Amino acid sequence: MKLSPHFTREEFEFSQTAIRLGIDNRIPPELMENAKRTAETMELVRAALGNRPIRVSSGYRSPALNSAIRGSKSSAHMQALACDFTCPTYGSVYQTAEVLASILDDYDQLIYEGTWIHIGLSIRHPRREILTATFPDGKIHYHIGLVN
């Protein structure tokens, strides 16, 4: 099922961890509008990057999957309002994050995570927070802005 012209429900639900652990990671009906909104945001991302293909690494996460990967207890992924992705044909992940930070305006969080980018949306007023995540001691640390 297509959520938008270039993004499907299946790619937003796919998780090797969920498959391995037997976790149902289907987007519930009550979150489908959120998933469509996230996919439409990803269409804007795709357009900003010259309509190059986007590789989604994580879209929706059921609470069970989020717990299994030790995700944030308030993760927007659990509301189908976040996407982790790369655009390998655009440039480096950092260059991609730089462009998106300068062009996009309707997001809650844009996080450069080293090997992927996270975009989170909000239900209320977006914070437009730009962060860089680092993992120096195996734990996640956030820094304000883009840090290369």
Side-chain angles (χ1 to χ4, degrees), residues 75-92:
S75 174
H77 286 280
M78 292 189 297
Q79 297 301 315
L81 287 172
C83 185
D84 296 345
F85 67 95
T86 59
C87 184
T89 62
Y90 184 79
S92 73

Side-chain angles (χ1 to χ4, degrees), residues 47-67:
L49 300 175
N51 286 313
R52 290 176 173 85
I54 300 292
R55 186 175 298 154
V56 174
S57 56
S58 182
Y60 172 71
R61 287 188 206 143
S62 67
L65 176 58
N66 195 64
S67 178

